[in-house]
Structures are given as structure tokens and as C-alpha cells.
Amino acid sequence: MAWFVKIEEGIVDKSTFDKYVSAHKAYVRDLIAKGHQARSGYWGKLGGGMLLFQAASMDEAQALVAQDPLVQNGCVKYQLHEWRVVVE
């Protein structure tokens, strides 16, 4: 499977964003349970965050990102990129 990264920026106020954080964490845990090797976190100073995960294709990656509660509830704008690992 290929690696993908969703780089996101919050676009709602913190109280609205925080309503969906628990659901987002559950979504990431579900990705992990399904073998997508997901990792999620936020930037220390800049705001926004990143989701790193594996998927079979860009189409699958887009479908997975569309299921993220932060995306579904309009909390973030994001870019999705395939990340090609050079050194492990």
C-alpha cells in the first residue's frame, strides 16, 4: 500500500472544532484497526494538523478522508498527497 498525507487547516472556531475531536480520534483508531497504519496529530504552533496513513490508491485515500468527521462537519480544509518514502 502507498502512503498518503492529509495536511489540514482548521476553519472553524475552537469550540466547534472540539465538538468533533473525539469522533476524529475514533475514526483514526478505526483506520488503524483496518490496517491503514494511520497517525494523526497537530502542529505545535501553527494550528492545523496532519494525518498520515496507507491506502491502496489515491481513490481509496480520498474515500477514507471523506469519512473523517472533521471533513464531514466542515471543520478543516485540506490537501491530500501521496507520500513516497525514500528512506526507512
mmCIF file of all heavy atoms in Angstrom, residues 28-81:
data_model
loop_
_atom_site.group_PDB
_atom_site.id
_atom_site.type_symbol
_atom_site.label_atom_id
_atom_site.label_comp_id
_atom_site.label_asym_id
_atom_site.label_seq_id
_atom_site.Cartn_x
_atom_site.Cartn_y
_atom_site.Cartn_z
ATOM 1 N N VAL A 28 -9.671 7.659 13.405
ATOM 2 C CA VAL A 28 -8.265 7.282 13.216
ATOM 3 C C VAL A 28 -8.006 5.904 13.818
ATOM 4 O O VAL A 28 -7.332 5.068 13.202
ATOM 5 C CB VAL A 28 -7.307 8.344 13.802
ATOM 6 C CG1 VAL A 28 -5.859 7.878 13.738
ATOM 7 C CG2 VAL A 28 -7.478 9.679 13.079
ATOM 8 N N ARG A 29 -8.565 5.639 14.991
ATOM 9 C CA ARG A 29 -8.399 4.306 15.595
ATOM 10 C C ARG A 29 -8.986 3.216 14.688
ATOM 11 O O ARG A 29 -8.440 2.121 14.585
ATOM 12 C CB ARG A 29 -9.042 4.268 16.975
ATOM 13 C CG ARG A 29 -8.246 5.025 18.016
ATOM 14 C CD ARG A 29 -8.841 4.863 19.423
ATOM 15 N NE ARG A 29 -8.233 5.823 20.314
ATOM 16 C CZ ARG A 29 -8.812 6.945 20.740
ATOM 17 N NH1 ARG A 29 -10.046 7.247 20.378
ATOM 18 N NH2 ARG A 29 -8.164 7.759 21.544
ATOM 19 N N ASP A 30 -10.105 3.529 14.034
ATOM 20 C CA ASP A 30 -10.719 2.579 13.106
ATOM 21 C C ASP A 30 -9.816 2.342 11.890
ATOM 22 O O ASP A 30 -9.676 1.204 11.432
ATOM 23 C CB ASP A 30 -12.093 3.095 12.669
ATOM 24 C CG ASP A 30 -12.841 2.077 11.837
ATOM 25 O OD1 ASP A 30 -13.039 0.939 12.311
ATOM 26 O OD2 ASP A 30 -13.226 2.417 10.697
ATOM 27 N N LEU A 31 -9.202 3.414 11.375
ATOM 28 C CA LEU A 31 -8.237 3.247 10.279
ATOM 29 C C LEU A 31 -7.094 2.329 10.702
ATOM 30 O O LEU A 31 -6.674 1.455 9.931
ATOM 31 C CB LEU A 31 -7.672 4.599 9.837
ATOM 32 C CG LEU A 31 -8.594 5.552 9.092
ATOM 33 C CD1 LEU A 31 -7.850 6.859 8.793
ATOM 34 C CD2 LEU A 31 -9.112 4.933 7.811
ATOM 35 N N ILE A 32 -6.598 2.521 11.909
ATOM 36 C CA ILE A 32 -5.509 1.689 12.426
ATOM 37 C C ILE A 32 -5.966 0.232 12.500
ATOM 38 O O ILE A 32 -5.262 -0.673 12.045
ATOM 39 C CB ILE A 32 -5.036 2.196 13.803
ATOM 40 C CG1 ILE A 32 -4.369 3.569 13.657
ATOM 41 C CG2 ILE A 32 -4.088 1.196 14.458
ATOM 42 C CD1 ILE A 32 -4.164 4.306 14.975
ATOM 43 N N ALA A 33 -7.152 0.006 13.046
ATOM 44 C CA ALA A 33 -7.683 -1.358 13.183
ATOM 45 C C ALA A 33 -7.859 -2.040 11.825
ATOM 46 O O ALA A 33 -7.734 -3.270 11.722
ATOM 47 C CB ALA A 33 -9.018 -1.322 13.929
ATOM 48 N N LYS A 34 -8.112 -1.255 10.787
ATOM 49 C CA LYS A 34 -8.300 -1.804 9.445
ATOM 50 C C LYS A 34 -6.999 -1.921 8.660
ATOM 51 O O LYS A 34 -7.009 -2.237 7.478
ATOM 52 C CB LYS A 34 -9.315 -0.954 8.680
ATOM 53 C CG LYS A 34 -10.713 -1.082 9.246
ATOM 54 C CD LYS A 34 -11.691 -0.185 8.526
ATOM 55 C CE LYS A 34 -13.092 -0.391 9.082
ATOM 56 N NZ LYS A 34 -14.052 0.576 8.503
ATOM 57 N N GLY A 35 -5.853 -1.654 9.311
ATOM 58 C CA GLY A 35 -4.554 -1.873 8.683
ATOM 59 C C GLY A 35 -3.996 -0.712 7.885
ATOM 60 O O GLY A 35 -3.047 -0.885 7.122
ATOM 61 N N HIS A 36 -4.522 0.501 8.070
ATOM 62 C CA HIS A 36 -4.060 1.659 7.304
ATOM 63 C C HIS A 36 -2.863 2.377 7.938
ATOM 64 O O HIS A 36 -2.419 3.403 7.418
ATOM 65 C CB HIS A 36 -5.208 2.650 7.087
ATOM 66 C CG HIS A 36 -6.275 2.113 6.198
ATOM 67 N ND1 HIS A 36 -6.142 2.044 4.823
ATOM 68 C CD2 HIS A 36 -7.490 1.586 6.482
ATOM 69 C CE1 HIS A 36 -7.228 1.522 4.310
ATOM 70 N NE2 HIS A 36 -8.066 1.223 5.290
ATOM 71 N N GLN A 37 -2.341 1.856 9.051
ATOM 72 C CA GLN A 37 -1.138 2.415 9.696
ATOM 73 C C GLN A 37 -1.264 3.922 9.973
ATOM 74 O O GLN A 37 -0.303 4.670 9.832
ATOM 75 C CB GLN A 37 0.102 2.152 8.827
ATOM 76 C CG GLN A 37 0.370 0.711 8.499
ATOM 77 C CD GLN A 37 0.789 -0.094 9.717
ATOM 78 O OE1 GLN A 37 1.545 0.391 10.548
ATOM 79 N NE2 GLN A 37 0.288 -1.300 9.830
ATOM 80 N N ALA A 38 -2.441 4.381 10.343
ATOM 81 C CA ALA A 38 -2.718 5.814 10.484
ATOM 82 C C ALA A 38 -2.042 6.425 11.698
ATOM 83 O O ALA A 38 -1.874 5.782 12.737
ATOM 84 C CB ALA A 38 -4.225 6.046 10.562
ATOM 85 N N ARG A 39 -1.659 7.683 11.539
ATOM 86 C CA ARG A 39 -1.123 8.530 12.608
ATOM 87 C C ARG A 39 -1.720 9.912 12.413
ATOM 88 O O ARG A 39 -1.797 10.414 11.293
ATOM 89 C CB ARG A 39 0.406 8.640 12.534
ATOM 90 C CG ARG A 39 1.157 7.317 12.560
ATOM 91 C CD ARG A 39 1.052 6.658 13.941
ATOM 92 N NE ARG A 39 1.831 5.443 14.008
ATOM 93 C CZ ARG A 39 1.376 4.227 13.749
ATOM 94 N NH1 ARG A 39 0.142 4.051 13.361
ATOM 95 N NH2 ARG A 39 2.141 3.170 13.865
ATOM 96 N N SER A 40 -2.147 10.547 13.492
ATOM 97 C CA SER A 40 -2.751 11.869 13.388
ATOM 98 C C SER A 40 -2.197 12.761 14.485
ATOM 99 O O SER A 40 -1.917 12.302 15.586
ATOM 100 C CB SER A 40 -4.282 11.753 13.533
ATOM 101 O OG SER A 40 -4.899 13.001 13.386
ATOM 102 N N GLY A 41 -2.044 14.040 14.176
ATOM 103 C CA GLY A 41 -1.568 14.986 15.173
ATOM 104 C C GLY A 41 -1.735 16.403 14.679
ATOM 105 O O GLY A 41 -2.247 16.639 13.587
ATOM 106 N N TYR A 42 -1.319 17.342 15.525
ATOM 107 C CA TYR A 42 -1.468 18.755 15.177
ATOM 108 C C TYR A 42 -0.146 19.479 15.345
ATOM 109 O O TYR A 42 0.753 19.019 16.045
ATOM 110 C CB TYR A 42 -2.570 19.415 16.002
ATOM 111 C CG TYR A 42 -2.336 19.386 17.497
ATOM 112 C CD1 TYR A 42 -1.694 20.438 18.141
ATOM 113 C CD2 TYR A 42 -2.755 18.305 18.270
ATOM 114 C CE1 TYR A 42 -1.472 20.415 19.507
ATOM 115 C CE2 TYR A 42 -2.536 18.277 19.634
ATOM 116 C CZ TYR A 42 -1.898 19.339 20.248
ATOM 117 O OH TYR A 42 -1.683 19.315 21.605
ATOM 118 N N TRP A 43 -0.033 20.616 14.668
ATOM 119 C CA TRP A 43 1.179 21.427 14.729
ATOM 120 C C TRP A 43 1.241 22.144 16.066
ATOM 121 O O TRP A 43 0.237 22.659 16.557
ATOM 122 C CB TRP A 43 1.210 22.453 13.601
ATOM 123 C CG TRP A 43 0.927 21.881 12.242
ATOM 124 C CD1 TRP A 43 -0.065 22.258 11.391
ATOM 125 C CD2 TRP A 43 1.640 20.839 11.573
ATOM 126 N NE1 TRP A 43 -0.016 21.506 10.243
ATOM 127 C CE2 TRP A 43 1.018 20.626 10.323
ATOM 128 C CE3 TRP A 43 2.732 20.052 11.904
ATOM 129 C CZ2 TRP A 43 1.462 19.676 9.415
ATOM 130 C CZ3 TRP A 43 3.171 19.098 11.002
ATOM 131 C CH2 TRP A 43 2.549 18.925 9.775
ATOM 132 N N GLY A 44 2.405 22.197 16.649
ATOM 133 C CA GLY A 44 2.582 22.825 17.953
ATOM 134 C C GLY A 44 2.288 24.306 17.976
ATOM 135 O O GLY A 44 1.737 24.819 18.937
ATOM 136 N N LYS A 45 2.626 25.046 16.919
ATOM 137 C CA LYS A 45 2.459 26.492 16.925
ATOM 138 C C LYS A 45 1.552 27.016 15.829
ATOM 139 O O LYS A 45 0.912 28.037 15.997
ATOM 140 C CB LYS A 45 3.821 27.181 16.789
ATOM 141 C CG LYS A 45 4.706 27.026 17.992
ATOM 142 C CD LYS A 45 5.935 27.880 17.860
ATOM 143 C CE LYS A 45 6.802 27.746 19.099
ATOM 144 N NZ LYS A 45 7.928 28.650 19.062
ATOM 145 N N LEU A 46 1.487 26.354 14.704
ATOM 146 C CA LEU A 46 0.852 26.939 13.533
ATOM 147 C C LEU A 46 -0.660 26.735 13.454
ATOM 148 O O LEU A 46 -1.321 27.383 12.668
ATOM 149 C CB LEU A 46 1.495 26.370 12.258
ATOM 150 C CG LEU A 46 2.993 26.604 12.105
ATOM 151 C CD1 LEU A 46 3.510 25.910 10.859
ATOM 152 C CD2 LEU A 46 3.287 28.094 12.038
ATOM 153 N N GLY A 47 -1.225 25.833 14.231
ATOM 154 C CA GLY A 47 -2.619 25.463 14.032
ATOM 155 C C GLY A 47 -2.700 24.462 12.898
ATOM 156 O O GLY A 47 -1.798 24.344 12.093
ATOM 157 N N GLY A 48 -3.776 23.710 12.833
ATOM 158 C CA GLY A 48 -3.894 22.689 11.816
ATOM 159 C C GLY A 48 -3.189 21.417 12.227
ATOM 160 O O GLY A 48 -2.719 21.276 13.351
ATOM 161 N N GLY A 49 -3.145 20.464 11.320
ATOM 162 C CA GLY A 49 -2.538 19.188 11.649
ATOM 163 C C GLY A 49 -2.310 18.336 10.433
ATOM 164 O O GLY A 49 -2.393 18.802 9.292
ATOM 165 N N MET A 50 -2.064 17.042 10.690
ATOM 166 C CA MET A 50 -1.711 16.133 9.628
ATOM 167 C C MET A 50 -2.201 14.731 9.971
ATOM 168 O O MET A 50 -2.195 14.329 11.136
ATOM 169 C CB MET A 50 -0.193 16.122 9.455
ATOM 170 C CG MET A 50 0.287 15.316 8.279
ATOM 171 S SD MET A 50 2.080 15.480 8.058
ATOM 172 C CE MET A 50 2.653 14.124 9.073
ATOM 173 N N LEU A 51 -2.634 14.023 8.949
ATOM 174 C CA LEU A 51 -2.982 12.612 9.057
ATOM 175 C C LEU A 51 -2.128 11.867 8.050
ATOM 176 O O LEU A 51 -2.132 12.187 6.863
ATOM 177 C CB LEU A 51 -4.472 12.401 8.744
ATOM 178 C CG LEU A 51 -4.947 10.955 8.639
ATOM 179 C CD1 LEU A 51 -4.881 10.257 10.000
ATOM 180 C CD2 LEU A 51 -6.368 10.905 8.087
ATOM 181 N N LEU A 52 -1.373 10.891 8.528
ATOM 182 C CA LEU A 52 -0.532 10.048 7.687
ATOM 183 C C LEU A 52 -1.140 8.648 7.711
ATOM 184 O O LEU A 52 -1.458 8.138 8.789
ATOM 185 C CB LEU A 52 0.894 10.032 8.241
ATOM 186 C CG LEU A 52 1.925 9.189 7.512
ATOM 187 C CD1 LEU A 52 2.191 9.746 6.120
ATOM 188 C CD2 LEU A 52 3.223 9.134 8.313
ATOM 189 N N PHE A 53 -1.327 8.043 6.551
ATOM 190 C CA PHE A 53 -1.958 6.722 6.503
ATOM 191 C C PHE A 53 -1.620 6.018 5.192
ATOM 192 O O PHE A 53 -1.124 6.636 4.250
ATOM 193 C CB PHE A 53 -3.479 6.843 6.661
ATOM 194 C CG PHE A 53 -4.163 7.586 5.539
ATOM 195 C CD1 PHE A 53 -4.804 6.906 4.519
ATOM 196 C CD2 PHE A 53 -4.152 8.977 5.506
ATOM 197 C CE1 PHE A 53 -5.427 7.594 3.477
ATOM 198 C CE2 PHE A 53 -4.782 9.678 4.481
ATOM 199 C CZ PHE A 53 -5.419 8.985 3.465
ATOM 200 N N GLN A 54 -1.902 4.728 5.157
ATOM 201 C CA GLN A 54 -1.698 3.940 3.948
ATOM 202 C C GLN A 54 -3.040 3.618 3.298
ATOM 203 O O GLN A 54 -4.047 3.410 3.989
ATOM 204 C CB GLN A 54 -0.982 2.633 4.269
ATOM 205 C CG GLN A 54 0.459 2.817 4.657
ATOM 206 C CD GLN A 54 1.154 1.494 4.882
ATOM 207 O OE1 GLN A 54 0.571 0.557 5.416
ATOM 208 N NE2 GLN A 54 2.410 1.406 4.479
ATOM 209 N N ALA A 55 -3.020 3.563 1.969
ATOM 210 C CA ALA A 55 -4.188 3.165 1.189
ATOM 211 C C ALA A 55 -3.703 2.537 -0.109
ATOM 212 O O ALA A 55 -2.561 2.742 -0.521
ATOM 213 C CB ALA A 55 -5.082 4.369 0.903
ATOM 214 N N ALA A 56 -4.581 1.811 -0.755
ATOM 215 C CA ALA A 56 -4.211 1.110 -1.986
ATOM 216 C C ALA A 56 -4.062 2.051 -3.175
ATOM 217 O O ALA A 56 -3.323 1.757 -4.111
ATOM 218 C CB ALA A 56 -5.241 0.031 -2.299
ATOM 219 N N SER A 57 -4.758 3.197 -3.148
ATOM 220 C CA SER A 57 -4.743 4.118 -4.281
ATOM 221 C C SER A 57 -5.184 5.504 -3.819
ATOM 222 O O SER A 57 -5.719 5.664 -2.717
ATOM 223 C CB SER A 57 -5.711 3.640 -5.361
ATOM 224 O OG SER A 57 -7.045 3.699 -4.874
ATOM 225 N N MET A 58 -5.000 6.504 -4.683
ATOM 226 C CA MET A 58 -5.479 7.843 -4.378
ATOM 227 C C MET A 58 -7.005 7.839 -4.234
ATOM 228 O O MET A 58 -7.540 8.520 -3.360
ATOM 229 C CB MET A 58 -5.037 8.847 -5.456
ATOM 230 C CG MET A 58 -5.531 10.254 -5.213
ATOM 231 S SD MET A 58 -5.026 11.014 -3.637
ATOM 232 C CE MET A 58 -3.436 11.690 -4.097
ATOM 233 N N ASP A 59 -7.681 7.065 -5.052
ATOM 234 C CA ASP A 59 -9.147 6.989 -4.937
ATOM 235 C C ASP A 59 -9.564 6.478 -3.559
ATOM 236 O O ASP A 59 -10.475 7.026 -2.934
ATOM 237 C CB ASP A 59 -9.736 6.088 -6.022
ATOM 238 C CG ASP A 59 -9.711 6.728 -7.402
ATOM 239 O OD1 ASP A 59 -9.588 7.970 -7.499
ATOM 240 O OD2 ASP A 59 -9.815 5.983 -8.394
ATOM 241 N N GLU A 60 -8.900 5.427 -3.080
ATOM 242 C CA GLU A 60 -9.223 4.915 -1.750
ATOM 243 C C GLU A 60 -8.871 5.951 -0.689
ATOM 244 O O GLU A 60 -9.632 6.163 0.257
ATOM 245 C CB GLU A 60 -8.499 3.599 -1.455
ATOM 246 C CG GLU A 60 -8.878 3.061 -0.081
ATOM 247 C CD GLU A 60 -8.114 1.825 0.353
ATOM 248 O OE1 GLU A 60 -6.980 1.603 -0.129
ATOM 249 O OE2 GLU A 60 -8.652 1.093 1.194
ATOM 250 N N ALA A 61 -7.719 6.611 -0.828
ATOM 251 C CA ALA A 61 -7.311 7.634 0.139
ATOM 252 C C ALA A 61 -8.349 8.752 0.211
ATOM 253 O O ALA A 61 -8.729 9.195 1.300
ATOM 254 C CB ALA A 61 -5.940 8.196 -0.229
ATOM 255 N N GLN A 62 -8.842 9.197 -0.942
ATOM 256 C CA GLN A 62 -9.858 10.250 -0.968
ATOM 257 C C GLN A 62 -11.144 9.777 -0.291
ATOM 258 O O GLN A 62 -11.770 10.534 0.462
ATOM 259 C CB GLN A 62 -10.136 10.678 -2.408
ATOM 260 C CG GLN A 62 -8.983 11.444 -3.010
ATOM 261 C CD GLN A 62 -9.131 11.676 -4.507
ATOM 262 O OE1 GLN A 62 -9.783 10.905 -5.214
ATOM 263 N NE2 GLN A 62 -8.513 12.741 -4.992
ATOM 264 N N ALA A 63 -11.521 8.536 -0.527
ATOM 265 C CA ALA A 63 -12.727 7.993 0.097
ATOM 266 C C ALA A 63 -12.568 7.904 1.612
ATOM 267 O O ALA A 63 -13.506 8.200 2.363
ATOM 268 C CB ALA A 63 -13.056 6.623 -0.494
ATOM 269 N N LEU A 64 -11.375 7.512 2.067
ATOM 270 C CA LEU A 64 -11.125 7.433 3.506
ATOM 271 C C LEU A 64 -11.165 8.823 4.152
ATOM 272 O O LEU A 64 -11.770 9.000 5.210
ATOM 273 C CB LEU A 64 -9.780 6.753 3.779
ATOM 274 C CG LEU A 64 -9.707 5.268 3.436
ATOM 275 C CD1 LEU A 64 -8.266 4.769 3.544
ATOM 276 C CD2 LEU A 64 -10.636 4.459 4.332
ATOM 277 N N VAL A 65 -10.547 9.793 3.522
ATOM 278 C CA VAL A 65 -10.530 11.157 4.064
ATOM 279 C C VAL A 65 -11.946 11.724 4.127
ATOM 280 O O VAL A 65 -12.295 12.440 5.068
ATOM 281 C CB VAL A 65 -9.585 12.059 3.235
ATOM 282 C CG1 VAL A 65 -9.790 13.527 3.561
ATOM 283 C CG2 VAL A 65 -8.132 11.653 3.489
ATOM 284 N N ALA A 66 -12.761 11.381 3.160
ATOM 285 C CA ALA A 66 -14.145 11.879 3.145
ATOM 286 C C ALA A 66 -14.940 11.386 4.353
ATOM 287 O O ALA A 66 -15.950 11.993 4.722
ATOM 288 C CB ALA A 66 -14.824 11.465 1.853
ATOM 289 N N GLN A 67 -14.475 10.312 4.995
ATOM 290 C CA GLN A 67 -15.163 9.766 6.164
ATOM 291 C C GLN A 67 -14.722 10.422 7.473
ATOM 292 O O GLN A 67 -15.313 10.167 8.528
ATOM 293 C CB GLN A 67 -14.912 8.263 6.252
ATOM 294 C CG GLN A 67 -15.480 7.492 5.089
ATOM 295 C CD GLN A 67 -15.036 6.045 5.106
ATOM 296 O OE1 GLN A 67 -14.783 5.460 6.159
ATOM 297 N NE2 GLN A 67 -14.918 5.448 3.934
ATOM 298 N N ASP A 68 -13.701 11.258 7.429
ATOM 299 C CA ASP A 68 -13.195 11.926 8.633
ATOM 300 C C ASP A 68 -14.258 12.898 9.156
ATOM 301 O O ASP A 68 -14.714 13.778 8.426
ATOM 302 C CB ASP A 68 -11.912 12.683 8.294
ATOM 303 C CG ASP A 68 -11.228 13.291 9.506
ATOM 304 O OD1 ASP A 68 -11.887 13.534 10.543
ATOM 305 O OD2 ASP A 68 -10.012 13.545 9.402
ATOM 306 N N PRO A 69 -14.662 12.776 10.414
ATOM 307 C CA PRO A 69 -15.659 13.694 10.971
ATOM 308 C C PRO A 69 -15.261 15.170 10.876
ATOM 309 O O PRO A 69 -16.135 16.034 10.743
ATOM 310 C CB PRO A 69 -15.781 13.256 12.428
ATOM 311 C CG PRO A 69 -15.422 11.806 12.401
ATOM 312 C CD PRO A 69 -14.336 11.705 11.363
ATOM 313 N N LEU A 70 -13.970 15.469 10.918
ATOM 314 C CA LEU A 70 -13.539 16.861 10.774
ATOM 315 C C LEU A 70 -13.830 17.371 9.366
ATOM 316 O O LEU A 70 -14.147 18.550 9.175
ATOM 317 C CB LEU A 70 -12.051 17.013 11.096
ATOM 318 C CG LEU A 70 -11.649 16.739 12.543
ATOM 319 C CD1 LEU A 70 -10.135 16.861 12.701
ATOM 320 C CD2 LEU A 70 -12.368 17.669 13.506
ATOM 321 N N VAL A 71 -13.734 16.491 8.377
ATOM 322 C CA VAL A 71 -14.053 16.851 6.991
ATOM 323 C C VAL A 71 -15.563 16.905 6.810
ATOM 324 O O VAL A 71 -16.109 17.871 6.268
ATOM 325 C CB VAL A 71 -13.405 15.853 6.002
ATOM 326 C CG1 VAL A 71 -13.886 16.094 4.584
ATOM 327 C CG2 VAL A 71 -11.883 15.934 6.082
ATOM 328 N N GLN A 72 -16.248 15.878 7.281
ATOM 329 C CA GLN A 72 -17.702 15.794 7.105
ATOM 330 C C GLN A 72 -18.433 16.978 7.731
ATOM 331 O O GLN A 72 -19.487 17.379 7.246
ATOM 332 C CB GLN A 72 -18.240 14.498 7.700
ATOM 333 C CG GLN A 72 -17.834 13.274 6.929
ATOM 334 C CD GLN A 72 -18.369 12.000 7.538
ATOM 335 O OE1 GLN A 72 -18.646 11.925 8.734
ATOM 336 N NE2 GLN A 72 -18.509 10.980 6.708
ATOM 337 N N ASN A 73 -17.877 17.537 8.798
ATOM 338 C CA ASN A 73 -18.537 18.628 9.513
ATOM 339 C C ASN A 73 -17.956 19.998 9.180
ATOM 340 O O ASN A 73 -18.229 20.976 9.882
ATOM 341 C CB ASN A 73 -18.498 18.355 11.018
ATOM 342 C CG ASN A 73 -19.395 17.189 11.368
ATOM 343 O OD1 ASN A 73 -20.615 17.322 11.386
ATOM 344 N ND2 ASN A 73 -18.807 16.029 11.601
ATOM 345 N N GLY A 74 -17.162 20.070 8.105
ATOM 346 C CA GLY A 74 -16.662 21.348 7.616
ATOM 347 C C GLY A 74 -15.716 22.071 8.558
ATOM 348 O O GLY A 74 -15.636 23.299 8.537
ATOM 349 N N CYS A 75 -14.972 21.312 9.356
ATOM 350 C CA CYS A 75 -14.060 21.912 10.330
ATOM 351 C C CYS A 75 -12.689 22.239 9.757
ATOM 352 O O CYS A 75 -11.958 23.041 10.349
ATOM 353 C CB CYS A 75 -13.882 20.976 11.521
ATOM 354 S SG CYS A 75 -15.387 20.715 12.467
ATOM 355 N N VAL A 76 -12.327 21.593 8.657
ATOM 356 C CA VAL A 76 -10.989 21.773 8.090
ATOM 357 C C VAL A 76 -11.056 21.909 6.573
ATOM 358 O O VAL A 76 -11.972 21.405 5.927
ATOM 359 C CB VAL A 76 -10.046 20.587 8.434
ATOM 360 C CG1 VAL A 76 -9.813 20.475 9.928
ATOM 361 C CG2 VAL A 76 -10.569 19.274 7.875
ATOM 362 N N LYS A 77 -10.061 22.609 6.045
ATOM 363 C CA LYS A 77 -9.759 22.496 4.624
ATOM 364 C C LYS A 77 -8.451 21.722 4.577
ATOM 365 O O LYS A 77 -7.652 21.772 5.516
ATOM 366 C CB LYS A 77 -9.686 23.848 3.931
ATOM 367 C CG LYS A 77 -8.587 24.768 4.388
ATOM 368 C CD LYS A 77 -8.641 26.072 3.606
ATOM 369 C CE LYS A 77 -7.515 26.993 4.028
ATOM 370 N NZ LYS A 77 -7.510 28.238 3.264
ATOM 371 N N TYR A 78 -8.244 20.984 3.507
ATOM 372 C CA TYR A 78 -7.072 20.101 3.491
ATOM 373 C C TYR A 78 -6.546 19.907 2.084
ATOM 374 O O TYR A 78 -7.222 20.172 1.098
ATOM 375 C CB TYR A 78 -7.424 18.743 4.113
ATOM 376 C CG TYR A 78 -8.404 17.941 3.304
ATOM 377 C CD1 TYR A 78 -7.956 17.056 2.323
ATOM 378 C CD2 TYR A 78 -9.772 18.066 3.491
ATOM 379 C CE1 TYR A 78 -8.852 16.326 1.561
ATOM 380 C CE2 TYR A 78 -10.677 17.332 2.743
ATOM 381 C CZ TYR A 78 -10.207 16.472 1.778
ATOM 382 O OH TYR A 78 -11.096 15.751 1.022
ATOM 383 N N GLN A 79 -5.311 19.409 2.067
ATOM 384 C CA GLN A 79 -4.679 18.931 0.844
ATOM 385 C C GLN A 79 -4.331 17.469 1.077
ATOM 386 O O GLN A 79 -3.919 17.099 2.183
ATOM 387 C CB GLN A 79 -3.404 19.710 0.545
ATOM 388 C CG GLN A 79 -3.608 21.166 0.267
ATOM 389 C CD GLN A 79 -2.274 21.862 0.020
ATOM 390 O OE1 GLN A 79 -1.218 21.235 -0.063
ATOM 391 N NE2 GLN A 79 -2.324 23.177 -0.083
ATOM 392 N N LEU A 80 -4.483 16.648 0.055
ATOM 393 C CA LEU A 80 -4.158 15.235 0.150
ATOM 394 C C LEU A 80 -3.068 14.927 -0.862
ATOM 395 O O LEU A 80 -3.195 15.265 -2.041
ATOM 396 C CB LEU A 80 -5.410 14.387 -0.135
ATOM 397 C CG LEU A 80 -5.235 12.874 -0.080
ATOM 398 C CD1 LEU A 80 -4.827 12.413 1.321
ATOM 399 C CD2 LEU A 80 -6.523 12.186 -0.517
ATOM 400 N N HIS A 81 -2.003 14.296 -0.392
ATOM 401 C CA HIS A 81 -0.859 13.983 -1.249
ATOM 402 C C HIS A 81 -0.428 12.537 -1.041
ATOM 403 O O HIS A 81 -0.470 12.034 0.083
ATOM 404 C CB HIS A 81 0.344 14.871 -0.904
ATOM 405 C CG HIS A 81 0.072 16.326 -1.014
ATOM 406 N ND1 HIS A 81 0.085 16.998 -2.209
ATOM 407 C CD2 HIS A 81 -0.224 17.238 -0.061
ATOM 408 C CE1 HIS A 81 -0.185 18.272 -1.992
ATOM 409 N NE2 HIS A 81 -0.381 18.440 -0.700
#
